[in-house]
Amino acid sequence: MEKVEVTWHEHAVSRDDRQQLNGHRGCVVWFTGLSGCGKSTIANLVDRQLHDQGVHTFLLDGDNVRHGLNPSTAMLAESHDADFAQRFGLGFGPADREENIRRIGAVAELFCQAGLITLAAFVSPYRKDRDLVRHRLEASGGPGDFIEVFVDTPLEVCESRDPKGLYKKARAGELKGMTGIDDPYEAPLKPEITLAGGSAPPDQLAATVIAQLVERGIVSG
Ligand SMILES: Nc1ncnc2c1ncn2[C@@H]1O[C@H](COP(=O)(O)OS(=O)(=O)O)[C@@H](OP(=O)(O)O)[C@H]1O
Ligand SMILES: Nc1ncnc2c1ncn2[C@@H]1O[C@H](COP(=O)(O)OP(=O)(O)O)[C@@H](O)[C@H]1O
């Protein structure tokens, strides 16, 4: 294994300095659940409401991040050679999802240190990958830096919504490795927040998240 010489540097402006300027602490609010469960819709509502009340936020969202930070091999091949694209492009195999969540976790950690309330909305189907993000955040920051929100919407409901037609393709055998169909979704064991995504409207679920942030002293009511 190649030995790489890197050294951690303390910065002149600390996380506390940034949080004081923002008027609130940073944290990561991590939405997980099946495709179509409502992660994006709820995270966007929370983002809008917090932003409107002057809170510094940022939203990292599945499909968008897979266009920039974590593109597919085919996307990368448009600007890089085939070997490079093969090496760094990500799909939906288990190791690709693991690396997708690892990279996003590292970015979310930076945003948290910048004092932002960072909303992350990813299927993030594997428990160990989410737990690793939690452990990294709690180790570099402290307790309360990672708030896991399980958007608990039954597969039948997600499948009936199917806004991108992915479940239909998976059922027809045209898409392999679809979460909930032929790839596992491992529900969180002790999420900070569980939302009944199949039986309550999005604005009510977003209000539940914000109420929890208030209760935890992260934002004021
Ligand atoms: N095989 C398979 N399984 C699940 N989802 C799939 C798949 N292929 C493509 N998509 C689309 O990609 C979005 C999920 O990307 P994520 O980065 O959140 O996935 S993961 O956390 O790495 O599992 C997901 O977006 P959302 O529907 O917003 O969750 C899907 O639109
Ligand atoms: N609580 C809800 N009740 C009814 N429909 C919802 C709810 N949450 C989301 N939806 C709808 O379900 C579809 C998928 O939502 P989306 O937020 O894109 O899910 P995800 O990001 O988890 O894939 C969208 O058409 C959205 O309007």
Side-chain angles (χ1 to χ4, degrees):
M1 206 178 287
E2 182 194 1
K3 187 169 185 294
V4 179
E5 297 282 352
V6 287
T7 310
W8 184 262
H9 292 278
E10 290 306 324
H11 287 176
V13 180
S14 70
R15 174 173 170 178
D16 274 351
D17 295 334
R18 296 183 197 283
Q19 293 185 152
Q20 263 180 32
L21 192 67
N22 288 351
H24 57 79
R25 61 170 290 183
C27 70
V28 174
V29 183
W30 188 282
F31 295 82
T32 172
L34 294 168
S35 175
C37 70
K39 302 177 296 293
S40 206
T41 304
I42 302 162
N44 268 287
L45 286 169
V46 172
D47 195 22
R48 182 78 254 170
Q49 189 172 324
L50 291 178
H51 177 84
D52 289 349
Q53 67 188 61
V55 176
H56 298 255
T57 60
F58 196 76
L59 172 59
L60 293 163
D61 197 333
D63 281 328
N64 293 0
V65 168
R66 281 181 177 273
H67 278 88
L69 179 68
N70 294 342
S72 65
T73 298
M75 284 174 185
L76 265 186
E78 290 169 15
S79 50
H80 294 73
D81 70 35
D83 285 349
F84 184 97
Q86 196 59 49
R87 184 165 169 207
F88 296 112
L90 298 184
F92 287 90
D96 296 57
R97 293 188 200 244
E98 179 178 348
E99 176 60 1
N100 184 42
I101 297 308
R102 190 197 67 78
R103 289 183 199 168
I104 292 158
V107 171
E109 188 180 337
L110 293 174
F111 285 180
C112 178
Q113 286 162 0
L116 303 179
I117 296 192
T118 310
L119 307 163
F122 297 91
V123 174
S124 43
Y126 307 144
R127 197 175 292 133
K128 72 168 175 32
D129 297 341
R130 296 190 306 267
D131 287 351
L132 255 180
V133 177
R134 176 191 289 275
H135 291 139
R136 274 205 60 128
L137 269 152
E138 291 180 349
S140 68
D145 274 2
F146 185 82
I147 297 169
E148 191 172 30
V149 182
F150 175 30
V151 185
D152 187 6
T153 307
L155 175 64
E156 311 81 75
V157 175
C158 298
E159 214 172 332
S160 70
R161 291 179 184 162
D162 205 10
K164 300 165 195 162
L166 296 177
Y167 288 107
K168 193 162 173 251
K169 278 193 184 156
R171 291 290 185 197
E174 293 161 18
L175 175 68
K176 297 280 173 229
M178 180 67 188
T179 302
I181 305 294
D182 57 349
D183 209 67
Y185 178 76
E186 298 167 359
L189 297 177
K190 277 178 70 183
E192 277 74 6
I193 304 171
T194 299
L195 302 175
S199 52
D203 54 350
Q204 191 179 314
L205 300 172
T208 302
V209 174
I210 290 178
Q212 272 292 321
L213 296 180
V214 172
E215 199 173 310
R216 287 162 194 272
I218 292 165
V219 294
S220 49

